[in-house]
Amino acid sequence: MTQRVLTGITTTGTPHLGNYVGAIRPAIAASREAGVDSFFFLADYHALIKCDEPARIERSRMALAATWLAAGLDTERVTFYRQSDVPEITELNWLLTCVTAKGLMNRAHAYKASTDINVAAGEDPDHGVTMGLFCYPVLMAADILMFNAHRVPVGRDQVQHIEMARDVAQRFNHLFGREFFTLPDAQIDAEMALLPGLDGRKMSKSYDNVVPLFEGGSKGLKDAIARIVTDSRLPGEPKDPDSTALTTLFEAFATPEQTAAFRAELVAGLGWGEAKQRLYQQIEAEIGPMRARYEALMAAPEQLEALMQQGAQRARAIAAPFLAELRAAVGLRPFQPLAAASSAATQKAALPVFKQYREADGRFYFKLTAADGRLLLQSAGFEQGREAGQWVGRLKAEGAAALAQAPVSLADGVAAEEVGAALAALAEA
Ligand code: TRP
């Protein structure tokens, strides 16, 4: 079966070598595998959560589009689009918002980190927190569920968001009675390993230690490499290959044999200046040929725009019919004679129903509702979903006899006899 792989890139920065090695290169390689249907998109709505500078957003989304294409993304194979070009995603975002427990969002790491900082600083916990930040995981769930992705390659910091997308999908499926959504799995790539920056810490804009990928041209690359921190050993003195980020950077662009030879030369006394020159050549051999394409695309925005429009069209061809199904499922349907609609509804509801679900407190519950939708029975919360399932099984099989032992309470104004009759009706069906 085809595996749908989907990932988004927030458009707030311009890519550096760490992004290339950690995300762009492995994602493009994966998109070339047989049996994989890839969806890569620019998460420009997510960018608005972190950034209110229009010029920066504009520049970043264009640079990112050009970077992915220059790095070899094949728009014939991959559905490549801007999130904001697919209005179905924001519409789904709302359908999902309406079934997402606020308590689930309260537990999101990114939100909690903000409130922790505020509390530590003696501020109101929600100081500076927008609804965008608070609801960030719901929009991300909409991104993923819109295309029913099986696998979502992400960094470790995003794993909780994928779990939340699963929770939200399950809740929707349960409420509306069908497996509308595939439950996605996070894929944490071994290749997503973090590349060190100039000073040996993780390469990140916030540490100001990045090597730009295309920006600044080959000179920019060379200048950044010249700033890699090394010790002061002179040419001819033996070097420790692991004393600097140079070796790891080299390794990311070399075969194991080339890396072994490079290490041996350092031990044998290769000068740092010469070593940096080798590193430059090694990286340039891979990305130099891509740079020309990057620059050509940046100089031809109308061409980039046309490619993104095509991508959006392809994405919408999938999203629009699916969204129509989802709208109908929640009751947003074209008007039709209600008699027809409601008789279909009553046929389906002719029997009492057990529903199992999980609450924001993490516990599992079940309830029994009458054919007309009134609540009859409400269970206590269980640690394990299995326990709830077992009680439902017993109540169905043993009827009123199991009622006295089950950890349940009758709804207000409901007599035990009515519940017994409902269970009997279920058992008969
Ligand atoms: N939040 C992700 C990040 O910052 C970007 C993103 C948005 C994403 N929507 C997504 C990633 C959907 C995977 C799937 O890295």
Side-chain angles (χ1 to χ4, degrees):
M1 198 187 81
T2 318
Q3 283 271 309
R4 279 183 305 274
V5 177
L6 175 143
T7 197
I9 308 99
T10 310
T11 56
T12 38
T14 41
H16 52 68
L17 280 193
N19 303 134
Y20 175 74
V21 169
I24 300 172
R25 193 172 63 183
I28 292 177
S31 75
R32 295 189 176 128
E33 284 166 26
V36 169
D37 189 8
S38 302
F39 295 79
F40 298 160
F41 68 96
L42 303 177
D44 47 6
Y45 277 141
H46 278 104
L48 298 182
I49 294 169
K50 302 181 192 162
C51 174
D52 56 10
E53 299 163 54
R56 184 153 151 228
I57 298 275
E58 179 184 31
R59 174 160 191 81
S60 171
R61 66 211 277 275
M62 205 165 122
L64 274 162
T67 295
W68 280 78
L69 293 166
L73 183 144
D74 175 359
T75 52
E76 293 296 313
R77 283 193 76 94
V78 178
T79 306
F80 184 52
Y81 54 98
R82 292 176 295 210
Q83 184 186 31
S84 64
D85 284 339
V86 184
E88 288 78 9
I89 294 172
T90 30
E91 199 170 337
L92 176 58
N93 179 57
W94 183 251
L95 301 190
L96 299 180
T97 298
C98 294
V99 303
T100 301
K102 175 173 176 286
L104 183 68
M105 296 298 102
N106 287 342
R107 290 198 293 276
H109 300 320
Y111 169 66
K112 267 188 24 202
S114 300
T115 55
D116 287 352
I117 291 171
N118 284 333
V119 169
E123 297 270 9
D124 181 272
D126 282 331
H127 175 75
V129 175
T130 64
M131 287 308 287
L133 175 66
F134 186 64
C135 301
Y136 185 111
V138 187
L139 180 57
M140 193 158 153
D143 292 331
I144 299 168
L145 303 180
M146 186 84 262
F147 298 97
N148 274 318
H150 298 100
R151 275 195 281 148
V152 185
V154 281
R156 264 176 215 292
D157 59 323
Q158 299 291 318
V159 172
Q160 189 197 30
H161 293 149
I162 313 298
E163 280 160 9
M164 290 177 157
R166 290 175 70 93
D167 275 0
V168 173
Q170 266 171 317
R171 179 102 186 111
F172 189 99
N173 287 347
H174 172 76
L175 281 172
F176 300 107
R178 195 149 70 68
E179 300 299 303
F180 291 100
F181 295 125
T182 305
L183 305 188
D185 281 308
Q187 177 188 335
I188 309 158
D189 233 296
E191 287 240 49
M192 291 257 192
L194 299 175
L195 202 67
L198 300 174
D199 55 359
R201 290 185 295 174
K202 170 192 164 187
M203 189 179 290
S204 160
K205 243 198 344 259
S206 33
Y207 294 147
D208 195 21
N209 65 356
V210 306
V211 181
L213 183 55
F214 296 133
E215 285 221 324
S218 58
K219 178 164 186 308
L221 178 62
K222 204 174 230 161
D223 292 349
I225 289 174
R227 287 188 287 121
I228 294 175
V229 176
T230 58
D231 62 27
S232 55
R233 281 165 212 263
L234 299 171
E237 286 186 72
K239 318 273 186 308
D240 173 6
D242 295 311
S243 66
T244 166
L246 235 162
T247 316
T248 318
L249 287 166
F250 188 92
E251 193 175 4
F253 288 88
T255 63
E257 296 73 34
Q258 289 172 320
T259 307
F262 185 67
R263 287 175 160 274
E265 282 195 90
L266 282 172
V267 173
L270 181 71
W272 288 125
E274 179 64 20
K276 287 178 173 178
Q277 178 60 22
R278 304 260 178 102
L279 172 63
Y280 165 73
Q281 282 163 353
Q282 195 72 29
I283 299 179
E284 185 64 13
E286 182 167 332
I287 71 164
M290 300 171 181
R291 191 180 294 117
R293 176 99 205 276
Y294 174 82
E295 279 162 6
L297 286 166
M298 288 301 277
E302 67 294 337
Q303 201 184 327
L304 264 180
E305 180 66 31
L307 279 172
M308 298 316 292
Q309 294 292 348
Q310 276 170 28
Q313 236 176 41
R314 248 169 77 175
R316 296 191 69 188
I318 299 169
F322 187 35
L323 183 69
E325 241 182 86
L326 298 170
R327 286 177 58 109
V330 302
L332 306 177
R333 305 167 189 156
F335 288 162
Q336 57 182 338
L338 287 177
S342 72
S343 82
T346 40
Q347 264 173 22
K348 191 177 145 216
L351 283 172
V353 239
F354 273 110
K355 276 204 177 141
Q356 292 184 52
Y357 55 97
R358 196 171 183 186
E359 278 291 358
D361 63 6
R363 292 170 160 266
F364 296 85
Y365 293 82
F366 64 84
K367 61 185 177 186
L368 177 67
T369 47
D372 61 10
R374 270 176 314 117
L375 179 67
L376 298 176
L377 204 63
Q378 168 66 60
S379 80
F382 300 93
E383 287 303 326
Q384 304 292 334
R386 198 162 25 89
E387 283 179 83
Q390 280 165 352
W391 276 112
V392 170
R394 274 193 67 184
L395 286 164
K396 280 183 179 165
E398 301 169 27
L403 200 54
Q405 295 149 35
V408 293
S409 48
L410 300 179
D412 280 349
V414 170
E417 291 70 37
E418 188 183 356
V419 178
L423 291 173
L426 264 182
E428 201 173 307

